[in-house]
Amino acid sequence: MNNTKYIFVAGGVISSLGKGIIAASIGKLLQARGYDVTIQKFDPYINIDPGTLNPYEHGECYVTVDGHEADLDLGHYERFLNNPTTRANNITTGRIYQSVINKERKGDYLGKTVQVVPHITDEIKRNIKTLGTKNKFDFVITEIGGTVGDIESLPFIESVRQLRWELGKNCLCVHLTYVPYIAAAKEVKTKPTQHSVKQLQELGIQPDVLVLRTERELSEDVLRKVALFCNVEESAVVQSLDVPSIYEVPIMMQQQKLDETILRKMNLPIGDTPELKAWKEFLFRMKDAKESVKIGLVGKYVELPDAYKSINESLFQAATYNDRKLDLVFIHSEKLNDENVQEQLSGLDGILIAPGFGQRGTEGKIAAIKYARENDIPTFGICFGMQSMVIEYARNVLGLTEANSTEINSKTPYNVIDLMENQKGISNLGGTMRLGAYDCEVEKDSIMYKAYHKKNIQERHRHRFEYNNKFKTSLEEAGLKCVGRNPETDLVEAVEIPANKWFVGVQFHPEYNSTVINPHPLFISFVKAAVENKESKK
Ligand code: GLN
């Protein structure tokens, strides 16, 4: 395609309507028609990236292959499109300002007064357009975080307004709003949508497409009314009804011909409707699964499922490909101890020990690992989960009762997990961890190898601490094998107990690499072991 096309997705009325899922679904449908698509997210906060944010703020921090700490919506983009994203796919207000201020300090603005318009808006536009032109994508879909009308997102909305003007038919705006159902009146209400569109119009943007999020099926009349009041063609008003799984949304959008409307509005040929065969096969297996598999996720953010978004999705995908429903139980690591661990974990088919930072809940994770190891329950440790497996083994098998990570106890005499050498002088917290994809060599005779079917893998990292090779010989002799190592640095990337059915810990984050079409082999293998464990109890 000659000219990159730009689609903007902005939300109105309230947040959390699922802009990311709508953006990903549009992307999926266009990709299925043979276009090269990427999705970008703008976050209107001032942090440079979400790496320094507590999960209570915006949920999980996602990591791209090129080591960028990113918004969790990028995870959705990758899971839907099966394409890696990069640093250029997630931009914050902080990054925009940092770049403008750096240019100002260099004197690039030649004595001009630096202002929101045009300097900030130009920088925003540059970040949108370079993604298209540099990487030659056919479509760049840009999701604007926040809700229309927020003070913070105004410069982004103004940039979209300018781009619409500059790009003409090569630009399209999708507005996602909410149509509530008022139980007392037994009616759905379109007024908030009308107001939201008006607000967008006041900012100079007429939406081309409206997606109405709703809990109740909307009638043709309601859709027609919204079209009339909002100056949007009837065929371009679609509804996004609540569905049990986010993976059904692309199909729902295709049924309402959202992709055709977009192509028509952008003067592109419509062609045949793609079959989405592999995607539908996944949905079929998801709905067809009768029996469940019960996985316990041990972590400290149980009240906040978004904190483990990619892990939840990876488990869900793996369960589906094992033809099982996922019965996911969140277990609060802070409330777990040697006394109550049996009662809390005994009914589980498999246990996943979550990543984490800081001391809170660490002893509960260790109690869970001890129980799982001694009772031979399939157990998967990720990042801090793997580090906890090493600590537990050192304490309870090697007898080094004070073993710990120096992150938790800097004075431990047995620092089985320690700060990486190149992390020691670092005082800045932002973007300074071991981040992004690194090579790992897998030992031939291991569960890992059986899962991946290959020796050389690449997985994404996000941590400062590492397995301390000083303890490698004694841990291995005692039965905790190192089965993955970085070929350049010799860092231990994975451990296993061969004597157990399935007991694997990985220093990296496989959950960032699992998509609907390409589910992650380790998750598949873990859930399979959990299913077998369940069957063996029958
Ligand atoms: N806190 C640990 C570290 O920094 C583990 C990090 C994680 O689980 N992502 O090494």
Side-chain angles (χ1 to χ4, degrees):
M1 213 159 75
N2 285 339
N3 291 318
T4 303
K5 311 274 178 192
Y6 295 87
I7 298 177
F8 296 95
V9 179
V13 184
I14 50 171
S15 58
S16 303
L17 290 177
K19 283 192 301 287
I21 303 298
I22 291 297
S25 300
I26 294 173
K28 174 80 204 163
L29 294 179
L30 293 171
Q31 185 193 52
R33 288 173 178 272
Y35 293 110
D36 237 339
V37 183
T38 193
I39 314 178
Q40 177 187 46
K41 168 108 191 248
F42 278 132
D43 279 306
Y45 51 71
I46 296 173
N47 305 59
I48 298 294
D49 59 49
T52 53
L53 289 172
N54 188 310
Y56 286 107
E57 299 288 311
H58 298 278
E60 160 189 288
C61 175
Y62 191 74
V63 180
T64 59
V65 171
D66 63 342
H68 182 64
E69 295 174 286
D71 184 75
L72 59 74
D73 271 323
L74 270 75
H76 290 308
Y77 307 161
E78 292 201 14
R79 287 187 283 273
F80 276 58
L81 264 55
N82 201 30
N83 270 343
T85 52
T86 66
R87 184 174 298 274
N89 292 76
N90 190 200
I91 314 276
T92 66
T93 293
R95 261 194 52 209
I96 297 288
Y97 271 80
Q98 189 180 51
S99 162
V100 168
I101 290 168
N102 286 345
K103 285 183 192 163
E104 186 273 335
R105 292 289 81 184
K106 279 203 296 187
D108 287 359
Y109 295 112
L110 306 174
K112 289 269 184 223
T113 307
V114 181
Q115 294 177 298
V116 173
V117 181
H119 302 100
I120 294 295
T121 47
D122 279 352
E123 184 64 19
I124 293 172
K125 281 158 51 181
R126 193 181 65 77
N127 274 283
I128 297 168
K129 289 203 281 194
T130 42
L131 190 56
T133 45
K134 224 162 115 194
N135 302 297
K136 303 211 171 16
F137 285 108
D138 298 325
F139 280 94
V140 174
I141 302 175
T142 302
E143 176 191 346
I144 314 281
T147 311
V148 168
D150 294 348
I151 293 177
E152 297 186 313
S153 51
L154 282 176
F156 294 108
I157 299 288
E158 167 61 12
S159 307
V160 174
R161 186 196 65 77
Q162 293 181 17
L163 280 175
R164 288 207 72 193
W165 188 245
E166 287 168 28
L167 296 166
K169 280 277 185 192
N170 290 332
C171 179
L172 182 131
C173 292
V174 177
H175 190 43
L176 173 66
T177 73
Y178 180 51
V179 176
Y181 175 76
I182 307 297
K186 292 198 172 58
E187 261 185 337
V188 291
K189 291 290 179 190
T190 64
K191 192 70 90 190
T193 295
Q194 295 174 41
H195 279 301
S196 180
V197 171
K198 223 165 240 150
Q199 206 159 16
L200 206 50
Q201 287 165 340
E202 276 167 20
L203 298 170
I205 297 176
Q206 168 61 50
D208 303 284
V209 171
L210 289 178
V211 180
L212 312 180
R213 179 73 193 268
T214 170
E215 285 144 54
R216 303 263 169 153
E217 173 107 40
L218 302 177
S219 67
E220 285 296 322
D221 277 352
V222 171
L223 297 174
R224 216 173 294 129
K225 180 171 153 191
V226 171
L228 179 68
F229 288 165
C230 298
N231 297 346
V232 178
E233 266 175 45
E234 277 176 30
S235 61
V237 181
V238 300
Q239 56 182 308
S240 178
L241 186 63
D242 281 6
V243 274
S245 162
I246 53 171
Y247 301 118
E248 292 177 51
V249 179
I251 306 296
M252 204 163 61
M253 293 301 123
Q254 193 189 43
Q255 280 160 355
Q256 296 177 80
K257 300 193 185 336
L258 177 58
D259 50 342
E260 288 186 25
T261 303
I262 289 174
L263 292 173
R264 186 166 40 75
K265 282 185 175 287
M266 299 189 106
N267 280 348
L268 288 168
I270 308 276
D272 296 332
T273 308
E275 278 187 66
L276 299 170
K277 231 168 146 191
W279 194 272
K280 283 185 179 158
E281 163 73 14
F282 172 81
L283 292 179
F284 179 76
R285 290 177 84 156
M286 176 185 94
K287 287 180 184 158
D288 207 41
K290 305 261 166 343
E291 284 195 60
S292 60
V293 57
K294 192 169 184 174
I295 307 288
L297 196 154
V298 181
K300 62 177 165 178
Y301 299 111
V302 282
E303 66 287 51
L304 191 76
D306 267 4
Y308 304 115
K309 192 87 202 163
S310 294
I311 291 179
N312 302 350
E313 296 305 319
S314 304
L315 285 171
F316 177 73
Q317 292 157 2
T320 301
Y321 282 107
N322 275 288
D323 297 308
R324 288 290 187 286
K325 279 191 207 312
L326 176 66
D327 180 3
L328 185 58
V329 190
F330 293 94
I331 293 156
H332 204 316
S333 53
E334 228 184 337
K335 299 194 179 131
L336 211 54
N337 53 46
D338 287 330
E339 276 70 58
N340 64 15
V341 69
Q342 165 153 24
E343 171 206 331
Q344 297 230 24
L345 306 187
S346 62
L348 300 170
D349 304 321
I351 297 172
L352 195 147
I353 312 292
F357 292 85
Q359 203 269 336
R360 187 165 74 90
T362 55
E363 290 303 317
K365 282 183 178 166
I366 289 170
I369 293 167
K370 178 169 188 280
Y371 177 83
R373 177 178 60 75
E374 289 177 348
N375 291 280
D376 201 4
I377 302 172
T379 308
F380 194 4
I382 296 182
C383 206
F384 189 74
M386 171 267 198
Q387 297 177 354
S388 305
M389 284 173 158
V390 176
I391 297 167
E392 191 279 328
Y393 214 80
R395 284 187 191 176
N396 299 324
V397 180
L398 285 185
L400 310 174
T401 44
E402 287 168 85
N404 218 327
S405 161
T406 47
E407 179 184 9
I408 312 302
N409 173 9
S410 58
K411 299 200 172 61
T412 169
Y414 307 112
N415 51 341
V416 289
I417 304 294
D418 201 0
L419 201 59
M420 286 186 265
E421 208 44 53
N422 58 6
Q423 288 283 338
K424 284 190 177 157
I426 292 176
S427 55
N428 253 358
L429 290 188
T432 53
M433 279 187 257
R434 185 179 182 217
L435 290 165
Y438 283 91
D439 288 336
C440 172
E441 259 177 35
V442 181
E443 282 298 316
K444 270 255 157 91
D445 209 9
S446 62
I447 296 169
M448 287 263 290
Y449 191 87
K450 273 190 209 117
Y452 283 96
H453 297 295
K454 56 182 175 190
K455 186 165 176 243
N456 297 306
I457 59 166
Q458 272 215 331
E459 292 283 3
R460 300 179 214 185
H461 291 247
R462 183 174 186 248
H463 59 108
R464 275 182 217 288
F465 294 81
E466 60 162 308
Y467 180 107
N468 186 346
N469 276 324
K470 226 173 77 187
F471 295 88
K472 189 172 171 191
T473 312
S474 39
L475 282 163
E476 287 214 303
E477 277 170 9
L480 184 67
K481 297 282 180 233
C482 298
V483 291
R485 56 176 274 285
N486 181 287
E488 278 149 47
T489 55
D490 207 31
L491 290 176
V492 171
E493 311 283 35
V495 295
E496 275 182 27
I497 302 178
N500 279 26
K501 279 188 224 137
W502 207 102
F503 191 97
V504 180
V506 290
Q507 183 58 78
F508 46 77
H509 290 268
E511 72 273 23
Y512 297 143
N513 236 344
S514 188
T515 73
V516 170
I517 301 300
N518 258 334
H520 196 284
L522 263 186
F523 277 91
I524 295 270
S525 165
F526 166 60
V527 173
K528 184 165 176 275
V531 169
E532 282 164 8
N533 179 34
K534 180 179 178 174
E535 300 295 322
S536 72
K537 287 186 281 191
K538 276 186 178 166

